[in-house]
Amino acid sequence: MTKILQLLRDYESRNVTYIADDASWPIVWDRARGVFVWDVRGKKYLDLTAAFGVAAAGHANPNVVKAGQKQMARLLHAMGDVHPHARKAELARELSRLTLERWPGKTRAKTIFCNSGFEAVEAAMKTAILATGKRGLIAFTGGYHGLGYGALNATHRDFFRRPFFSQLRRFGRFVHFPKIASELPALENQIKKILQRGQTGAILVEPVQARGGIIVPPPEFLPLLRKLCDRFGVLLIADEIYTGFGRTGRWFACEHSRVVPDLLCLGKALTGGFPLSVCLGRAGVMDAAWPASQGEAIHTSTFLGHPVGCAMALAQIKEIQRLNLCERSATLGRFLLSELDSINNSKLKLKTSARGLGLIAGLELNHPDGSPASAETFSAIKQMLRRGYVLLPEGEHGNVISFTPPLIISKNQLTETLQALREVLV
């Protein structure tokens, strides 16, 4: 075990970093660039996670780093909701142009900048209750929206929620997240029954569930939610913290079904590596919800719209455009899914199934009786790590090998990874 891991054992909460007794997990990252990371021993790894989807334009993208360094030297910190800076205004405008001004209806978006993804979700929750006057929220089984106290009401997995049940208001109602179109009629009836009670102000949904196990719903799903929201006068909140900025082969996953949400939560790949997130929404909704400031904002934070993060986000957006990463994600995503589908499981003791959209894909491993092969999945991921590939398990049972690489990854690098995975799984 490295001295660094021992320091973490001694000084970090033991609930944070899992450290295997046999030293098989984790590695200690030292530096990263492009699609590669190096550990403190100098070993090189191909990163198939993009560090939780953050490094869409590659780790330490030179233009993004340069923008952050330039801003850091000029203005390292500003005053959140008091004295603004130029980059915050520019980024708010750019995000409006990239989303609601570009989508059907072509309306302006207004933003609330935050730090972490769950904070953007909680800003959206606050917007919903202010705009509608209704405290209720519909969320979905398998959904993951962060671990703050507000977000926990919409994060489904009991593992995260149960220790804090006594302090949660539990205003979220969970309904089934569909995998196939035949599940939609029953889901529609379930949602209607909840909405007819008149206590729900919003439906919160991930267009593709990431931590839930890379679940891609049928294409009719989001249009159904949009129809129900319009009928009952509730807001549709799209949590695109993971799926935004080219991950699914479009700028945003909701674009696949041409559904325009009322509120949109963004983070992760927004900056390429700096803590910044945003809740943005239709200007009419945001103005109806939030009163004009009289000198004291009712939702703010010290680092709101951090200048370095805003500068990096502006550069990250330009890099995604310059490198055509949305198109690249779509093309490579089709190749990746085809290759995952073709993994020869005739020699395997496990059953495999693949799914994905763009460069967010998953390979689910189950025993012949259908039970989750959780231990085997983690064993395969650890073997891949020893071979020089960084992967993560997803899903409630940790039996889905997820692929969310930097969007700059090459076809050859994906081919190399999948060949190594075939060898590990046999």
Side-chain angles (χ1 to χ4, degrees):
M1 182 185 301
T2 68
K3 292 180 179 179
I4 296 167
L5 292 180
Q6 188 59 54
L7 284 173
L8 289 174
R9 274 194 165 171
D10 290 344
Y11 294 102
E12 184 183 52
S13 167
R14 64 180 185 173
N15 187 248
V16 177
T17 303
Y18 166 66
I19 302 174
D21 291 334
D22 63 359
S24 62
W25 193 275
I27 60 171
V28 177
W29 287 27
D30 181 59
R31 59 190 177 93
R33 191 170 184 87
V35 296
F36 296 106
V37 297
W38 288 261
D39 68 15
V40 291
R41 294 188 173 101
K43 183 175 178 179
K44 182 180 179 181
Y45 301 81
L46 181 62
D47 179 20
L48 281 302
T49 72
F52 306 120
V54 169
H59 289 285
N61 178 285
N63 290 328
V64 176
V65 170
K66 188 182 300 182
Q69 290 172 332
K70 182 178 178 181
Q71 181 61 50
M72 189 175 294
R74 182 179 182 89
L75 179 68
L76 180 58
H77 175 63
M79 291 191 69
D81 60 315
V82 180
H83 299 300
H85 59 92
R87 300 294 85 76
K88 182 174 76 164
E90 292 167 3
L91 180 57
R93 179 184 62 186
E94 184 63 27
L95 290 171
S96 180
R97 290 174 172 174
L98 198 58
T99 57
L100 289 166
E101 291 183 38
R102 191 168 56 88
W103 293 342
K106 296 189 182 298
T107 186
R108 182 179 298 174
K110 290 196 172 182
T111 65
I112 299 173
F113 287 108
C114 310
N115 302 305
S116 185
F118 83 85
E119 295 175 23
V121 170
E122 293 182 352
M125 290 177 173
K126 285 185 174 183
T127 302
I129 193 171
L130 289 174
T132 68
K134 300 174 182 177
R135 68 185 292 271
L137 179 82
I138 292 176
F140 291 86
T141 56
Y144 182 91
H145 302 284
L147 305 181
Y149 268 96
L152 274 176
N153 287 278
T155 290
H156 179 249
R157 200 182 307 175
D158 268 1
F159 175 82
F160 299 116
R161 290 159 45 85
R162 187 166 298 281
F164 311 104
F165 266 0
S166 64
Q167 291 183 318
L168 295 179
R169 291 294 300 275
R170 279 174 273 179
F171 52 80
R173 293 288 301 273
F174 292 101
V175 297
H176 178 66
F177 190 85
K179 296 182 179 179
I180 54 176
S182 61
E183 297 174 319
L184 293 179
L187 175 64
E188 181 176 7
N189 289 332
Q190 185 182 12
I191 294 176
K192 280 181 180 177
K193 288 179 181 179
I194 297 173
L195 294 181
Q196 284 167 351
R197 298 169 188 164
Q199 299 173 345
T200 299
I203 296 177
L204 172 62
V205 63
E206 297 163 275
V208 175
Q209 287 190 346
R211 297 217 58 192
I214 319 297
I215 308 298
V216 182
E220 304 90 347
F221 175 52
L222 286 185
L224 170 62
L225 297 185
R226 181 71 273 174
K227 180 186 75 172
L228 291 170
C229 286
D230 291 341
R231 176 179 171 182
F232 288 93
V234 303
L235 300 182
L236 179 61
I237 306 171
D239 179 347
E240 296 233 24
I241 290 163
Y242 222 123
T243 55
F245 300 100
R247 176 57 55 190
T248 67
R250 300 282 179 89
W251 272 101
F252 303 98
C254 62
E255 295 179 28
H256 287 279
S257 55
R258 293 182 60 82
V259 166
V260 179
D262 299 295
L263 299 167
L264 184 66
C265 301
L266 303 173
K268 292 193 184 295
L270 171 61
T271 69
F274 193 92
L276 186 74
S277 64
V278 62
C279 164
L280 64 85
R282 290 190 287 113
V285 170
M286 298 293 279
D287 287 347
W290 298 95
S293 175
Q294 301 299 316
E296 186 71 73
I298 59 175
H299 181 89
T300 186
S301 67
T302 300
F303 298 104
L304 184 149
H306 195 283
V308 177
C310 289
M312 291 176 65
L314 288 164
Q316 174 87 336
I317 290 168
K318 287 182 180 178
E319 285 298 280
I320 294 171
Q321 292 169 330
R322 183 181 71 84
L323 299 170
N324 296 315
L325 293 184
C326 295
E327 295 82 356
R328 184 180 183 84
S329 175
T331 300
L332 287 177
R334 288 190 290 269
F335 169 76
L336 173 59
L337 188 57
S338 174
E339 290 296 301
L340 288 173
D341 272 328
S342 72
I343 286 182
N344 183 5
N345 60 11
S346 61
K347 299 178 181 179
L348 302 182
K349 298 178 182 178
L350 302 175
K351 296 169 60 178
T352 68
S353 61
R355 50 186 176 261
L357 186 63
L359 282 176
I360 179 169
L363 184 70
E364 182 174 338
L365 304 181
N366 290 302
H367 295 291
D369 64 1
S371 61
S374 306
E376 292 85 349
T377 300
F378 193 39
S379 174
I381 288 172
K382 287 196 290 186
Q383 291 181 60
M384 289 292 287
L385 187 66
R386 286 197 294 271
R387 289 175 175 235
Y389 302 91
V390 181
L391 291 158
L392 286 174
E394 296 291 6
E396 181 177 1
H397 305 291
N399 66 319
V400 178
I401 301 175
S402 69
F403 296 81
T404 60
L407 305 185
I408 63 169
I409 197 168
S410 71
K411 187 175 180 179
N412 286 341
Q413 287 165 339
L414 287 175
T415 300
E416 172 193 316
T417 301
L418 294 170
Q419 180 57 37
L421 182 61
R422 289 185 179 93
E423 295 171 4
V424 162
L425 289 177
V426 170

